[in-house]
Short mmCIF file of all heavy atoms in Angstrom, two decimals:
data_model
loop_
_atom_site.label_atom_id
_atom_site.label_comp_id
_atom_site.label_asym_id
_atom_site.label_seq_id
_atom_site.Cartn_x
_atom_site.Cartn_y
_atom_site.Cartn_z
N MET W 831 0.28 9.92 -9.99
CA MET W 831 -0.52 8.90 -9.29
C MET W 831 -2.02 9.09 -9.66
O MET W 831 -2.70 8.08 -9.90
CB MET W 831 -0.22 8.91 -7.80
CG MET W 831 -0.90 7.77 -7.17
SD MET W 831 -0.42 6.20 -7.87
CE MET W 831 0.27 5.44 -6.47
N LYS W 832 -2.47 10.32 -9.71
CA LYS W 832 -3.91 10.52 -9.93
C LYS W 832 -4.26 9.92 -11.43
O LYS W 832 -5.29 9.41 -11.55
CB LYS W 832 -4.29 11.93 -9.84
CG LYS W 832 -4.48 12.48 -8.45
CD LYS W 832 -4.95 13.81 -8.45
CE LYS W 832 -5.19 14.28 -6.99
NZ LYS W 832 -5.82 15.66 -6.96
N VAL W 833 -3.32 10.12 -12.33
CA VAL W 833 -3.56 9.69 -13.72
C VAL W 833 -3.82 8.20 -13.77
O VAL W 833 -4.62 7.58 -14.30
CB VAL W 833 -2.51 10.13 -14.69
CG1 VAL W 833 -2.67 9.51 -16.00
CG2 VAL W 833 -2.51 11.66 -14.79
N TRP W 834 -2.87 7.46 -13.00
CA TRP W 834 -2.95 6.03 -12.89
C TRP W 834 -4.26 5.61 -12.21
O TRP W 834 -4.96 4.72 -12.75
CB TRP W 834 -1.78 5.48 -12.07
CG TRP W 834 -1.75 3.95 -11.99
CD1 TRP W 834 -1.12 3.17 -12.81
CD2 TRP W 834 -2.41 3.14 -11.04
NE1 TRP W 834 -1.41 1.84 -12.43
CE2 TRP W 834 -2.03 1.81 -11.28
CE3 TRP W 834 -3.17 3.53 -9.89
CZ2 TRP W 834 -2.56 0.76 -10.53
CZ3 TRP W 834 -3.64 2.41 -9.09
CH2 TRP W 834 -3.36 1.06 -9.38
N CYS W 835 -4.68 6.30 -11.24
CA CYS W 835 -5.96 6.02 -10.58
C CYS W 835 -7.08 6.18 -11.46
O CYS W 835 -8.00 5.30 -11.49
CB CYS W 835 -6.10 6.84 -9.30
SG CYS W 835 -4.91 6.31 -7.98
N ILE W 836 -7.13 7.29 -12.20
CA ILE W 836 -8.20 7.50 -13.15
C ILE W 836 -8.29 6.35 -14.15
O ILE W 836 -9.29 5.88 -14.47
CB ILE W 836 -8.10 8.83 -13.78
CG1 ILE W 836 -8.36 9.95 -12.76
CG2 ILE W 836 -9.09 9.05 -15.00
CD1 ILE W 836 -7.91 11.38 -13.26
N GLY W 837 -7.10 6.02 -14.75
CA GLY W 837 -7.08 4.97 -15.70
C GLY W 837 -7.51 3.56 -15.10
O GLY W 837 -8.10 2.77 -15.90
N LYS W 838 -7.43 3.29 -13.81
CA LYS W 838 -7.85 2.06 -13.18
C LYS W 838 -9.26 2.25 -12.54
O LYS W 838 -9.77 1.35 -11.95
CB LYS W 838 -6.86 1.69 -12.13
CG LYS W 838 -5.50 1.39 -12.71
CD LYS W 838 -5.48 0.18 -13.42
CE LYS W 838 -4.05 -0.19 -13.90
NZ LYS W 838 -4.00 -1.40 -14.72
N ASN W 839 -9.76 3.47 -12.70
CA ASN W 839 -11.12 3.67 -12.16
C ASN W 839 -11.16 3.43 -10.58
O ASN W 839 -12.15 2.88 -9.99
CB ASN W 839 -12.19 2.89 -12.74
CG ASN W 839 -13.62 3.41 -12.54
OD1 ASN W 839 -13.74 4.63 -12.36
ND2 ASN W 839 -14.61 2.54 -12.47
N VAL W 840 -10.19 4.05 -9.88
CA VAL W 840 -10.11 3.97 -8.48
C VAL W 840 -9.80 5.41 -7.93
O VAL W 840 -9.26 6.30 -8.66
CB VAL W 840 -8.98 3.11 -7.96
CG1 VAL W 840 -9.43 1.63 -8.24
CG2 VAL W 840 -7.67 3.37 -8.43
N SER W 841 -10.10 5.67 -6.71
CA SER W 841 -9.86 6.98 -6.16
C SER W 841 -8.50 7.11 -5.67
O SER W 841 -7.84 6.14 -5.07
CB SER W 841 -10.89 7.17 -4.89
OG SER W 841 -12.15 7.17 -5.33
N ALA W 842 -7.89 8.23 -5.86
CA ALA W 842 -6.52 8.51 -5.34
C ALA W 842 -6.58 8.81 -3.94
O ALA W 842 -7.53 9.40 -3.42
CB ALA W 842 -5.92 9.74 -6.03
N ALA W 843 -5.59 8.36 -3.12
CA ALA W 843 -5.61 8.53 -1.64
C ALA W 843 -4.69 9.68 -1.23
O ALA W 843 -3.85 9.94 -1.97
CB ALA W 843 -5.15 7.27 -0.95
N THR W 844 -5.03 10.32 -0.14
CA THR W 844 -4.08 11.27 0.45
C THR W 844 -2.89 10.54 0.99
O THR W 844 -2.93 9.32 1.21
CB THR W 844 -4.74 12.10 1.58
OG1 THR W 844 -5.04 11.15 2.58
CG2 THR W 844 -6.00 12.73 1.07
N LYS W 845 -1.82 11.16 1.26
CA LYS W 845 -0.65 10.59 1.81
C LYS W 845 -0.98 9.96 3.10
O LYS W 845 -0.60 8.79 3.38
CB LYS W 845 0.52 11.61 2.01
CG LYS W 845 1.26 11.89 0.77
CD LYS W 845 2.51 12.69 0.98
CE LYS W 845 2.32 14.03 1.47
NZ LYS W 845 3.50 14.86 1.66
N ASP W 846 -1.77 10.60 3.99
CA ASP W 846 -2.15 10.04 5.29
C ASP W 846 -2.96 8.81 5.15
O ASP W 846 -2.77 7.78 5.78
CB ASP W 846 -2.84 11.05 6.10
CG ASP W 846 -1.87 12.14 6.63
OD1 ASP W 846 -0.67 11.92 6.73
OD2 ASP W 846 -2.41 13.28 6.89
N ALA W 847 -3.97 8.76 4.17
CA ALA W 847 -4.81 7.70 3.94
C ALA W 847 -3.94 6.45 3.43
O ALA W 847 -4.22 5.34 3.82
CB ALA W 847 -5.95 7.97 3.07
N PHE W 848 -3.07 6.74 2.46
CA PHE W 848 -2.24 5.69 1.94
C PHE W 848 -1.39 5.09 3.04
O PHE W 848 -1.30 3.97 3.22
CB PHE W 848 -1.38 6.30 0.85
CG PHE W 848 -0.46 5.20 0.18
CD1 PHE W 848 -0.88 4.39 -0.78
CD2 PHE W 848 0.82 5.00 0.66
CE1 PHE W 848 -0.14 3.39 -1.33
CE2 PHE W 848 1.71 3.99 0.13
CZ PHE W 848 1.15 3.18 -0.80
N ARG W 849 -0.81 5.94 3.96
CA ARG W 849 0.09 5.45 4.98
C ARG W 849 -0.73 4.55 5.97
O ARG W 849 -0.20 3.47 6.40
CB ARG W 849 0.70 6.61 5.79
CG ARG W 849 1.63 6.23 6.85
CD ARG W 849 2.25 7.43 7.57
NE ARG W 849 2.97 8.24 6.70
CZ ARG W 849 2.80 9.53 6.48
NH1 ARG W 849 1.87 10.09 7.19
NH2 ARG W 849 3.50 10.19 5.65
N GLN W 850 -1.98 4.94 6.24
CA GLN W 850 -2.74 4.13 7.12
C GLN W 850 -3.10 2.77 6.55
O GLN W 850 -3.05 1.75 7.14
CB GLN W 850 -4.09 4.87 7.55
CG GLN W 850 -3.89 5.99 8.42
CD GLN W 850 -5.13 6.81 8.69
OE1 GLN W 850 -6.15 6.70 7.94
NE2 GLN W 850 -5.18 7.66 9.66
N GLU W 851 -3.50 2.88 5.23
CA GLU W 851 -3.81 1.53 4.58
C GLU W 851 -2.52 0.67 4.42
O GLU W 851 -2.65 -0.51 4.63
CB GLU W 851 -4.35 1.89 3.16
CG GLU W 851 -4.99 0.75 2.40
CD GLU W 851 -6.22 0.19 3.17
OE1 GLU W 851 -6.93 0.96 3.87
OE2 GLU W 851 -6.59 -0.96 3.04
N PHE W 852 -1.39 1.28 4.14
CA PHE W 852 -0.15 0.51 4.01
C PHE W 852 0.22 -0.14 5.40
O PHE W 852 0.63 -1.32 5.41
CB PHE W 852 0.95 1.37 3.42
CG PHE W 852 2.14 0.55 2.96
CD1 PHE W 852 2.09 -0.07 1.76
CD2 PHE W 852 3.21 0.50 3.77
CE1 PHE W 852 3.13 -0.83 1.39
CE2 PHE W 852 4.33 -0.27 3.41
CZ PHE W 852 4.31 -0.97 2.11
N ASP W 853 0.02 0.64 6.38
CA ASP W 853 0.35 0.04 7.73
C ASP W 853 -0.56 -1.09 8.05
O ASP W 853 -0.15 -2.07 8.76
CB ASP W 853 0.26 1.23 8.81
CG ASP W 853 1.53 2.14 8.74
OD1 ASP W 853 2.51 1.76 8.16
OD2 ASP W 853 1.37 3.27 9.23
N HIS W 854 -1.78 -1.01 7.65
CA HIS W 854 -2.75 -2.10 7.81
C HIS W 854 -2.27 -3.30 7.08
O HIS W 854 -2.24 -4.43 7.62
CB HIS W 854 -4.14 -1.70 7.29
CG HIS W 854 -5.10 -2.94 7.40
ND1 HIS W 854 -5.69 -3.34 8.56
CD2 HIS W 854 -5.50 -3.65 6.44
CE1 HIS W 854 -6.48 -4.41 8.25
NE2 HIS W 854 -6.30 -4.53 6.98
N VAL W 855 -1.76 -3.16 5.84
CA VAL W 855 -1.30 -4.29 5.09
C VAL W 855 0.02 -4.85 5.75
O VAL W 855 0.20 -6.10 5.71
CB VAL W 855 -0.88 -3.87 3.67
CG1 VAL W 855 -0.24 -4.93 2.81
CG2 VAL W 855 -2.29 -3.41 2.94
N ARG W 856 0.77 -4.09 6.34
CA ARG W 856 1.95 -4.60 7.10
C ARG W 856 1.61 -5.57 8.19
O ARG W 856 2.47 -6.37 8.55
CB ARG W 856 2.78 -3.40 7.75
CG ARG W 856 3.40 -2.46 6.77
CD ARG W 856 4.06 -1.34 7.38
NE ARG W 856 4.97 -1.82 8.46
CZ ARG W 856 5.11 -1.21 9.70
NH1 ARG W 856 4.37 -0.14 9.95
NH2 ARG W 856 5.92 -1.65 10.60
N ASN W 857 0.44 -5.53 8.64
CA ASN W 857 -0.05 -6.45 9.73
C ASN W 857 -0.65 -7.80 9.28
O ASN W 857 -0.99 -8.59 10.05
CB ASN W 857 -1.00 -5.66 10.67
CG ASN W 857 -0.36 -4.60 11.40
OD1 ASN W 857 0.76 -4.76 11.86
ND2 ASN W 857 -1.06 -3.42 11.60
N VAL W 858 -0.76 -7.89 7.89
CA VAL W 858 -1.25 -9.17 7.38
C VAL W 858 -0.27 -10.26 7.79
O VAL W 858 0.96 -10.03 7.77
CB VAL W 858 -1.27 -9.04 5.80
CG1 VAL W 858 -1.61 -10.42 5.21
CG2 VAL W 858 -2.39 -8.07 5.44
N PRO W 859 -0.70 -11.46 8.35
CA PRO W 859 0.09 -12.47 8.87
C PRO W 859 1.34 -12.77 7.95
O PRO W 859 2.45 -12.96 8.50
CB PRO W 859 -0.79 -13.58 9.07
CG PRO W 859 -2.12 -13.03 9.23
CD PRO W 859 -2.15 -11.77 8.34
N GLU W 860 1.19 -12.81 6.67
CA GLU W 860 2.26 -13.24 5.81
C GLU W 860 3.37 -12.14 5.83
O GLU W 860 4.49 -12.38 5.40
CB GLU W 860 1.77 -13.44 4.33
CG GLU W 860 0.87 -14.63 4.25
CD GLU W 860 -0.57 -14.27 4.48
OE1 GLU W 860 -0.93 -13.19 4.77
OE2 GLU W 860 -1.36 -15.22 4.40
N LEU W 861 2.95 -10.87 6.06
CA LEU W 861 4.01 -9.76 6.00
C LEU W 861 4.42 -9.25 7.44
O LEU W 861 5.31 -8.49 7.52
CB LEU W 861 3.39 -8.60 5.29
CG LEU W 861 2.93 -8.93 3.83
CD1 LEU W 861 2.29 -7.72 3.29
CD2 LEU W 861 4.18 -9.20 3.00
N ALA W 862 3.72 -9.72 8.49
CA ALA W 862 4.00 -9.16 9.87
C ALA W 862 5.49 -9.31 10.17
O ALA W 862 6.06 -10.42 10.03
CB ALA W 862 3.16 -9.88 10.83
N GLY W 863 6.05 -8.21 10.50
CA GLY W 863 7.46 -8.25 10.91
C GLY W 863 8.53 -8.12 9.83
O GLY W 863 9.61 -8.05 10.02
N LYS W 864 8.06 -8.15 8.51
CA LYS W 864 8.92 -8.15 7.37
C LYS W 864 9.13 -6.79 6.78
O LYS W 864 10.15 -6.46 6.18
CB LYS W 864 8.37 -9.08 6.33
CG LYS W 864 8.46 -10.51 6.72
CD LYS W 864 7.96 -11.44 5.61
CE LYS W 864 8.03 -12.88 6.09
NZ LYS W 864 7.55 -13.77 5.08
N ILE W 865 8.18 -5.94 7.08
CA ILE W 865 8.28 -4.46 6.60
C ILE W 865 8.45 -3.53 7.79
O ILE W 865 7.58 -3.59 8.61
CB ILE W 865 7.00 -4.09 5.78
CG1 ILE W 865 6.82 -4.98 4.57
CG2 ILE W 865 7.21 -2.62 5.26
CD1 ILE W 865 5.56 -4.72 3.79
N ARG W 866 9.61 -2.88 7.85
CA ARG W 866 9.85 -2.03 9.00
C ARG W 866 9.77 -0.53 8.55
O ARG W 866 9.95 -0.22 7.36
CB ARG W 866 11.23 -2.34 9.55
CG ARG W 866 11.31 -3.75 10.08
CD ARG W 866 12.73 -4.21 10.32
NE ARG W 866 13.76 -4.04 9.29
CZ ARG W 866 13.83 -4.82 8.26
NH1 ARG W 866 12.98 -5.72 8.04
NH2 ARG W 866 14.82 -4.62 7.34
N THR W 867 9.58 0.36 9.54
CA THR W 867 9.55 1.74 9.33
C THR W 867 10.54 2.43 10.16
O THR W 867 10.88 1.99 11.25
CB THR W 867 8.23 2.37 9.64
OG1 THR W 867 7.85 2.19 10.94
CG2 THR W 867 7.11 1.70 8.77
N PHE W 868 11.06 3.48 9.71
CA PHE W 868 11.98 4.32 10.36
C PHE W 868 11.51 5.90 9.95
O PHE W 868 11.82 6.21 8.88
CB PHE W 868 13.41 4.14 10.02
CG PHE W 868 14.32 5.03 10.89
CD1 PHE W 868 14.54 4.74 12.19
CD2 PHE W 868 14.97 6.08 10.35
CE1 PHE W 868 15.45 5.53 12.90
CE2 PHE W 868 15.85 6.89 11.07
CZ PHE W 868 16.05 6.56 12.40
N GLY W 869 10.84 6.50 10.82
CA GLY W 869 10.24 7.77 10.50
C GLY W 869 9.19 7.51 9.36
O GLY W 869 8.17 6.77 9.51
N ASN W 870 9.34 8.26 8.15
CA ASN W 870 8.37 8.11 7.11
C ASN W 870 8.99 7.16 6.09
O ASN W 870 8.46 7.19 4.93
CB ASN W 870 8.02 9.49 6.56
CG ASN W 870 9.19 10.18 5.98
OD1 ASN W 870 10.31 9.76 6.04
ND2 ASN W 870 8.94 11.31 5.35
N ARG W 871 9.99 6.31 6.34
CA ARG W 871 10.59 5.42 5.39
C ARG W 871 10.24 4.02 5.75
O ARG W 871 10.22 3.66 6.95
CB ARG W 871 12.13 5.59 5.37
CG ARG W 871 12.47 6.96 4.89
CD ARG W 871 13.98 7.14 4.87
NE ARG W 871 14.36 8.43 4.51
CZ ARG W 871 15.60 8.88 4.41
NH1 ARG W 871 16.54 8.10 4.46
NH2 ARG W 871 15.78 10.13 3.98
N TYR W 872 9.95 3.21 4.71
CA TYR W 872 9.61 1.85 4.85
C TYR W 872 10.73 1.01 4.23
O TYR W 872 11.24 1.27 3.21
CB TYR W 872 8.30 1.52 4.10
CG TYR W 872 7.13 2.12 4.74
CD1 TYR W 872 6.73 3.51 4.46
CD2 TYR W 872 6.37 1.39 5.65
CE1 TYR W 872 5.61 4.06 5.05
CE2 TYR W 872 5.24 1.93 6.22
CZ TYR W 872 4.87 3.27 5.94
OH TYR W 872 3.81 3.88 6.58
N TYR W 873 11.12 -0.08 5.03
CA TYR W 873 12.20 -1.00 4.55
C TYR W 873 11.62 -2.40 4.51
O TYR W 873 10.73 -2.78 5.33
CB TYR W 873 13.30 -0.99 5.54
CG TYR W 873 13.98 0.43 5.69
CD1 TYR W 873 13.46 1.43 6.61
CD2 TYR W 873 15.07 0.75 4.87
CE1 TYR W 873 14.10 2.61 6.65
CE2 TYR W 873 15.60 2.01 4.97
CZ TYR W 873 15.12 2.91 5.88
OH TYR W 873 15.73 4.15 5.88
N GLY W 874 12.10 -3.16 3.54
CA GLY W 874 11.66 -4.47 3.37
C GLY W 874 10.58 -4.63 2.33
O GLY W 874 9.91 -5.70 2.21
N ILE W 875 10.46 -3.71 1.43
CA ILE W 875 9.43 -3.82 0.37
C ILE W 875 10.11 -3.74 -0.98
O ILE W 875 11.28 -3.26 -1.12
CB ILE W 875 8.41 -2.75 0.38
CG1 ILE W 875 9.02 -1.34 0.21
CG2 ILE W 875 7.58 -2.83 1.71
CD1 ILE W 875 8.04 -0.23 0.06
N ARG W 876 9.53 -4.31 -2.01
CA ARG W 876 10.00 -4.28 -3.36
C ARG W 876 8.82 -4.06 -4.25
O ARG W 876 7.65 -4.64 -4.05
CB ARG W 876 10.68 -5.66 -3.75
CG ARG W 876 11.18 -5.73 -5.08
CD ARG W 876 11.88 -6.99 -5.39
NE ARG W 876 10.96 -8.07 -5.31
CZ ARG W 876 11.08 -9.22 -5.86
NH1 ARG W 876 12.11 -9.41 -6.66
NH2 ARG W 876 10.22 -10.20 -5.70
N LEU W 877 8.95 -3.13 -5.24
CA LEU W 877 7.90 -2.94 -6.14
C LEU W 877 8.16 -3.76 -7.40
O LEU W 877 9.24 -4.05 -7.84
CB LEU W 877 8.00 -1.41 -6.61
CG LEU W 877 7.81 -0.39 -5.51
CD1 LEU W 877 7.91 1.01 -6.01
CD2 LEU W 877 6.49 -0.56 -4.75
N VAL W 878 7.13 -4.39 -7.96
CA VAL W 878 7.21 -5.28 -9.13
C VAL W 878 6.35 -4.60 -10.20
O VAL W 878 5.34 -3.86 -9.99
CB VAL W 878 6.64 -6.63 -8.79
CG1 VAL W 878 7.59 -7.40 -7.77
CG2 VAL W 878 5.28 -6.69 -8.29
N GLY W 879 6.63 -4.97 -11.44
CA GLY W 879 6.01 -4.37 -12.58
C GLY W 879 4.91 -5.29 -13.16
O GLY W 879 4.66 -5.26 -14.29
N SER W 880 4.22 -6.08 -12.21
CA SER W 880 3.16 -6.89 -12.68
C SER W 880 2.16 -6.99 -11.51
O SER W 880 2.27 -6.51 -10.54
CB SER W 880 3.74 -8.29 -13.12
OG SER W 880 4.22 -9.02 -11.95
N ASN W 881 1.14 -7.84 -11.88
CA ASN W 881 0.03 -8.03 -10.90
C ASN W 881 0.34 -9.26 -9.98
O ASN W 881 -0.52 -10.01 -9.69
CB ASN W 881 -1.32 -8.15 -11.50
CG ASN W 881 -1.64 -6.85 -12.18
OD1 ASN W 881 -1.37 -5.80 -11.68
ND2 ASN W 881 -2.45 -6.94 -13.35
N VAL W 882 1.56 -9.53 -9.60
CA VAL W 882 1.90 -10.77 -8.91
C VAL W 882 1.18 -10.72 -7.57
O VAL W 882 0.60 -11.77 -7.10
CB VAL W 882 3.44 -10.79 -8.73
CG1 VAL W 882 3.82 -11.94 -7.75
CG2 VAL W 882 4.16 -10.97 -10.04
N ALA W 883 1.19 -9.64 -6.85
CA ALA W 883 0.60 -9.66 -5.40
C ALA W 883 -0.61 -8.74 -5.53
O ALA W 883 -0.44 -7.56 -5.65
CB ALA W 883 1.68 -9.09 -4.48
N ARG W 884 -1.68 -9.33 -5.33
CA ARG W 884 -2.96 -8.63 -5.30
C ARG W 884 -3.63 -8.86 -3.98
O ARG W 884 -3.73 -10.02 -3.55
CB ARG W 884 -3.85 -8.97 -6.45
CG ARG W 884 -3.25 -8.68 -7.81
CD ARG W 884 -4.25 -8.83 -8.96
NE ARG W 884 -5.30 -7.89 -8.82
CZ ARG W 884 -5.39 -6.72 -9.25
NH1 ARG W 884 -4.38 -6.19 -9.92
NH2 ARG W 884 -6.44 -5.94 -9.14
N LEU W 885 -4.02 -7.80 -3.32
CA LEU W 885 -4.61 -7.94 -2.04
C LEU W 885 -6.09 -7.82 -1.94
O LEU W 885 -6.69 -7.82 -0.88
CB LEU W 885 -3.98 -6.86 -1.04
CG LEU W 885 -2.46 -6.98 -0.85
CD1 LEU W 885 -2.00 -5.87 -0.01
CD2 LEU W 885 -2.18 -8.36 -0.18
N GLY W 886 -6.76 -7.68 -3.11
CA GLY W 886 -8.20 -7.59 -3.11
C GLY W 886 -8.76 -6.26 -2.80
O GLY W 886 -9.92 -6.21 -2.44
N ILE W 887 -7.94 -5.22 -2.83
CA ILE W 887 -8.44 -3.79 -2.62
C ILE W 887 -8.77 -3.20 -3.88
O ILE W 887 -7.97 -2.99 -4.73
CB ILE W 887 -7.40 -3.07 -1.85
CG1 ILE W 887 -7.03 -3.67 -0.55
CG2 ILE W 887 -7.84 -1.57 -1.57
CD1 ILE W 887 -5.89 -3.11 0.16
N THR W 888 -10.12 -2.85 -4.11
CA THR W 888 -10.48 -2.22 -5.31
C THR W 888 -10.69 -0.78 -5.21
O THR W 888 -10.37 -0.02 -6.12
CB THR W 888 -11.83 -2.82 -5.73
OG1 THR W 888 -12.87 -2.68 -4.62
CG2 THR W 888 -11.80 -4.37 -6.01
N LYS W 889 -10.99 -0.20 -4.05
CA LYS W 889 -11.13 1.17 -3.82
C LYS W 889 -10.36 1.46 -2.54
O LYS W 889 -10.46 0.63 -1.63
CB LYS W 889 -12.62 1.59 -3.66
CG LYS W 889 -13.49 1.32 -4.85
CD LYS W 889 -13.39 2.42 -5.90
CE LYS W 889 -14.39 2.20 -7.03
NZ LYS W 889 -14.15 3.01 -8.08
N ILE W 890 -9.81 2.70 -2.47
CA ILE W 890 -9.05 3.04 -1.23
C ILE W 890 -9.99 2.86 -0.02
O ILE W 890 -11.13 3.50 -0.02
CB ILE W 890 -8.40 4.47 -1.34
CG1 ILE W 890 -7.47 4.42 -2.52
CG2 ILE W 890 -7.81 4.84 -0.06
CD1 ILE W 890 -6.28 3.57 -2.29
N GLY W 891 -9.57 2.18 0.93
CA GLY W 891 -10.40 2.10 2.20
C GLY W 891 -11.40 0.91 2.16
O GLY W 891 -11.99 0.69 3.14
N LYS W 892 -11.58 0.35 1.01
CA LYS W 892 -12.47 -0.80 0.92
C LYS W 892 -11.81 -2.02 0.52
O LYS W 892 -11.11 -2.15 -0.45
CB LYS W 892 -13.68 -0.50 -0.17
CG LYS W 892 -14.47 0.71 0.13
CD LYS W 892 -15.55 0.92 -0.91
CE LYS W 892 -16.40 2.10 -0.56
NZ LYS W 892 -17.41 2.42 -1.65
N ARG W 893 -12.01 -3.12 1.33
CA ARG W 893 -11.37 -4.31 1.04
C ARG W 893 -12.31 -5.28 0.39
O ARG W 893 -13.44 -5.40 0.92
CB ARG W 893 -10.78 -4.90 2.32
CG ARG W 893 -9.64 -4.16 2.87
CD ARG W 893 -9.17 -4.58 4.19
NE ARG W 893 -8.21 -3.75 4.70
CZ ARG W 893 -8.39 -2.56 5.29
NH1 ARG W 893 -9.59 -2.14 5.44
NH2 ARG W 893 -7.46 -1.79 5.77
N GLY W 894 -11.91 -6.06 -0.57
CA GLY W 894 -12.72 -6.99 -1.22
C GLY W 894 -12.48 -8.41 -1.02
O GLY W 894 -11.73 -8.91 -0.32
#
């Protein structure tokens, strides 16, 4: 993950920081109630191999 971040010129997040940011995204009105958690597992997500869904986050913790 760090290599990908360096290539994109963004900072890598710690697991806790990523979890907090991801939980914030879960509360976006379009996603509210669609992504569920059980312990440290998330259900209702799908990873895609393109830039289909962009949330405007350029640096971890900063929203654009």
Side-chain angles (χ1 to χ4, degrees):
M831 188 54 122
K832 282 187 177 184
V833 172
W834 182 90
C835 289
I836 290 169
K838 298 292 184 179
N839 197 30
V840 295
S841 301
T844 64
K845 283 193 289 185
D846 288 334
F848 181 83
R849 183 178 300 122
Q850 288 175 346
E851 191 67 27
F852 193 77
D853 284 340
H854 172 76
V855 171
R856 289 177 53 223
N857 293 320
V858 170
E860 295 85 3
L861 299 176
K864 295 181 180 178
I865 301 172
R866 296 171 308 283
T867 61
F868 184 74
N870 63 354
R871 296 180 184 186
Y872 290 84
Y873 297 90
I875 62 172
R876 178 176 64 153
L877 301 178
V878 295
S880 66
N881 293 331
V882 172
R884 297 192 58 92
L885 297 175
I887 299 172
T888 56
K889 300 275 185 191
I890 297 298
K892 296 182 182 177
R893 290 174 186 79

